[in-house]
Amino acid sequence: MKVWILNGNVWNDRRQALEPKHVRVDGEIIAEIRDASEGLPDTAGHEVVDAAGRLLSAGFIDMHVHLREPGYEHKETIATGTASAARGGFTTIACMPNTKPPTDTPERVRYVLDKAKEAGPVRVLPYAAITKSQLGRELTDFAALKEAGAIGFTDDGVGVQNAKMMKDAMALAASLGLPIVAHCEEDTLLEGAAFSEGEFVKRHGLKGIPNESESIHVGRDTLLAEATGVHYHVCHVSTEQSVRLIRLAKQHGVRVTAEVCPHHLLLSDEDIPGLDANWKMNPPLRSPRDVKAVIEGLEDGTIDIIVTDHAPHSEEEKARGVDKAPFGIVGFETAFPLLYTKFVATGRWSLGFLLERMTRKPADVFGLGLGRLEPGQPADLTIVDLEKEAEVDPAKFLTKGRNTPFAGWKLKGWPVWTMAAGRVAWSE
C-alpha cells in the first residue's frame, strides 16, 4: 500500500511546536517526510489521506491491556479489543495472560499471536504468566515461552506472594533478557475490600484496601531486582508510597520502570459518586494525595509511561453490586482525549510530553523499535482532531465493555484515523 498523508501537524520536540508535514508510506514503512511549505508532492500512484491540519503522531502504544480471549469472550475478543484499540489511536498493545486458561504455555502464546494476526487490526504483543495457572506455586517454562513470542512475564491480576518464587522468576527472566512485569498486591492486606482505604469507605461503612498492599510488593521487588539485575516493571502505580520506593530504587541504579493509568491520574476515591461498580478497579482509586504523587512521579520521570489497563466486563457482571462485581474499567477509546483535555489543554503538560509517554517511551522501555514518526520506521500512525469535542458515550464504544466512570465527560482531542504497519486500522 502506497499512501501520501498530506498536511499533518507533526510535533517537533526541538522547537516544542507543531509543524505541517506530508508523510509518504510505502508498504509497512514510513518512506519520506516533507515540510508542507515545499508544496504538495506528486501523489500519482498513491492513495491520499488529507490530515487537514490535524495532529499526526506515531501510533500510540499500550503496554497493559486485557483482551479476555480465550475464555471470557462475553467480555471481549481479540477482534473487538483490537478494533477498540485502533479507534483509540493505538497501533501496538501488550495483552496480559489472565485469560481462561491463562497464557502459561507456548501453545497459548501462539494462539494469541495467531488470533491477533487473523482478526486484529493492530499489533498484539503477548505477555506470558510467571507461574503456572497464575497460582504462584511453580514457574512456567520461561525459555519456551520466549521462543513462542512472549515479550515478558507477569501474573497480572494477582501478585506473586512468595518472595523466593519472585526472586527465582527474576533471575530466570534476567538470564533470558526479558522483563518481569509485576502486579503488586499483598493478599494478606486485602480483606475482600472493593475500594481504597479512605474517605469513601468511611462514609459507606466499608472495608478498605490499604496503600501498603501495593507498596509492600514494590519495596520487596525492587530489592529483588537489585539482587538479580532483572528489568523490573511496576504495573499501574497508584500510591504515594510506591512512587517514593520506585524513585529511591532508580536513584540507586536498580533497573526499574513503571506505568500509570489515566484514571489514577484523574480521579481519587473522593470522586466516587456512590456504590457504582463502574468505579471499581484494581488498584482502586486512592486519595487526592496519592493522585498528586503519581502525577508528580510521571512528571519527574519516576513513572515512565502511561497505559490504560483496559479491562472490559459485561454489563451483567458490573450490575452485581460493588461486592460481587469484578474489578476493572475500559480505557482504549478515552485515554488520549482524557489526558489531552485535562493536562495538555489546561497547560500543565506540553503535547510533546503526553505523546512521548504514549509512543516513544513505552517502545524504549520494552525495546520494541517502534514509537517514532521518522523515515525508515514502521508505518504506525495516528491522526487526532485536537479541536473535536464530544461526550464519552459508552453505547458507541467498539469494545464490548461499557464499564467506565467517564460516561458523559465532555472531552477534546479524539483520534480519527489509525494506520498500523501500513494498513488502515480505523477511520472515522
Side-chain angles (χ1 to χ4, degrees):
M1 187 175 185
K2 295 185 176 182
V3 182
W4 268 108
I5 303 165
L6 305 178
N7 304 305
N9 276 331
V10 176
W11 181 259
N12 183 316
D13 264 334
R14 187 169 55 82
R15 295 182 178 173
Q16 291 288 293
L18 290 168
E19 296 179 340
K21 302 283 185 182
H22 305 315
V23 175
R24 183 166 64 87
V25 172
D26 190 346
E28 298 183 3
I29 300 298
I30 297 171
E32 182 181 358
I33 301 175
R34 293 189 189 179
D35 287 333
S37 60
E38 297 175 7
L40 290 173
D42 179 1
T43 59
H46 291 72
E47 292 187 24
V48 174
V49 175
D50 188 357
R54 292 173 290 192
L55 170 68
L56 176 61
S57 167
F60 304 150
I61 298 172
D62 190 344
M63 296 306 296
H64 188 140
V65 314
H66 299 270
L67 295 178
R68 303 304 194 197
E69 187 177 1
Y72 299 109
E73 286 84 353
H74 63 289
K75 301 173 189 276
E76 193 78 290
T77 65
I78 291 174
T80 59
T82 52
S84 174
R87 187 179 194 177
F90 294 94
T91 53
T92 299
I93 59 177
C95 60
M96 291 296 172
N98 58 339
T99 49
K100 186 181 179 182
T103 311
D104 61 357
T105 66
E107 292 75 20
R108 291 169 192 161
V109 171
R110 285 192 283 269
Y111 172 86
V112 172
L113 289 169
D114 289 346
K115 289 288 285 189
K117 188 175 181 181
E118 170 192 323
V122 303
R123 189 178 294 104
V124 176
L125 307 174
Y127 291 112
I130 294 173
T131 63
K132 293 181 179 178
S133 300
Q134 295 190 273
L135 294 175
R137 297 172 186 159
E138 185 179 358
L139 293 181
T140 55
D141 186 342
F142 281 19
L145 291 163
K146 178 184 178 181
E147 177 68 23
I151 62 157
F153 306 102
T154 177
D155 273 1
D156 186 60
V158 292
V160 175
Q161 302 301 305
N162 185 302
K164 175 67 164 57
M165 183 74 66
M166 190 55 139
K167 186 175 182 181
D168 289 346
M170 287 184 174
L172 189 51
S175 73
L176 295 168
L178 289 184
I180 289 291
V181 178
H183 174 111
C184 294
E185 189 168 46
E186 173 55 47
D187 286 354
T188 58
L189 295 173
L190 296 181
E191 297 189 53
F195 299 103
S196 180
E197 208 171 62
E199 293 305 315
F200 179 79
V201 297
K202 286 180 188 172
R203 193 159 63 243
H204 291 276
L206 302 172
K207 294 177 181 176
I209 302 172
N211 282 17
E212 307 84 76
S213 64
E214 175 181 293
S215 52
I216 279 177
H217 272 212
V218 174
R220 179 199 73 178
D221 290 352
T222 52
L223 292 171
L224 296 177
E226 182 178 29
T228 58
V230 75
H231 171 199
Y232 170 63
H233 181 79
V234 187
C235 290
H236 36 53
V237 175
S238 68
T239 75
E240 181 273 334
Q241 294 92 335
S242 296
V243 174
R244 189 181 345 135
L245 290 164
I246 294 165
R247 185 177 290 127
L248 181 65
K250 286 192 171 189
Q251 289 169 353
H252 284 265
V254 180
R255 194 180 174 201
V256 55
T257 56
E259 64 187 39
V260 66
C261 303
H263 44 278
H264 291 126
L265 293 165
L266 290 165
L267 300 172
S268 77
D269 67 325
E270 296 183 13
D271 295 310
I272 303 173
L275 299 175
D276 180 349
N278 285 324
W279 294 72
K280 179 181 178 182
M281 66 281 288
N282 192 16
L285 298 176
R286 307 285 186 177
S287 70
R289 176 174 173 167
D290 294 300
V291 174
K292 180 173 182 288
V294 295
I295 292 172
E296 291 174 352
L298 183 67
E299 291 174 344
D300 72 13
T302 301
I303 297 173
D304 301 87
I305 64 174
I306 298 170
V307 301
T308 66
D309 193 10
H310 176 81
H313 295 289
S314 71
E315 292 182 77
E316 293 75 17
E317 289 168 319
K318 278 294 191 181
R320 292 172 185 165
V322 293
D323 288 338
K324 296 181 180 177
F327 290 96
I329 62 171
V330 296
F332 284 142
E333 294 171 63
T334 54
F336 187 87
L338 280 167
L339 297 168
Y340 178 77
T341 302
K342 299 301 180 182
F343 290 103
V344 179
T346 57
R348 175 149 186 159
W349 296 348
S350 72
L351 179 58
F353 179 91
L354 174 58
L355 291 175
E356 180 171 341
R357 279 141 192 85
M358 294 181 72
T359 58
R360 188 168 57 198
K361 270 283 203 179
D364 289 351
V365 164
F366 287 90
L368 303 180
L370 302 169
R372 286 164 170 78
L373 204 170
E374 298 172 358
Q377 290 290 306
D380 294 351
L381 299 164
T382 297
I383 297 176
V384 180
D385 186 344
L386 297 177
E387 299 303 317
K388 179 181 177 181
E389 189 172 54
E391 277 191 10
V392 176
D393 181 357
K396 296 180 179 176
F397 286 168
L398 295 185
T399 173
K400 287 188 177 183
R402 300 291 179 265
N403 45 311
T404 175
F406 299 112
W409 283 39
K410 190 172 286 187
L411 304 175
K412 290 179 71 175
W414 292 86
V416 295
W417 184 89
T418 306
M419 168 179 274
R423 294 186 301 172
V424 177
W426 182 74
S427 180
E428 189 175 67

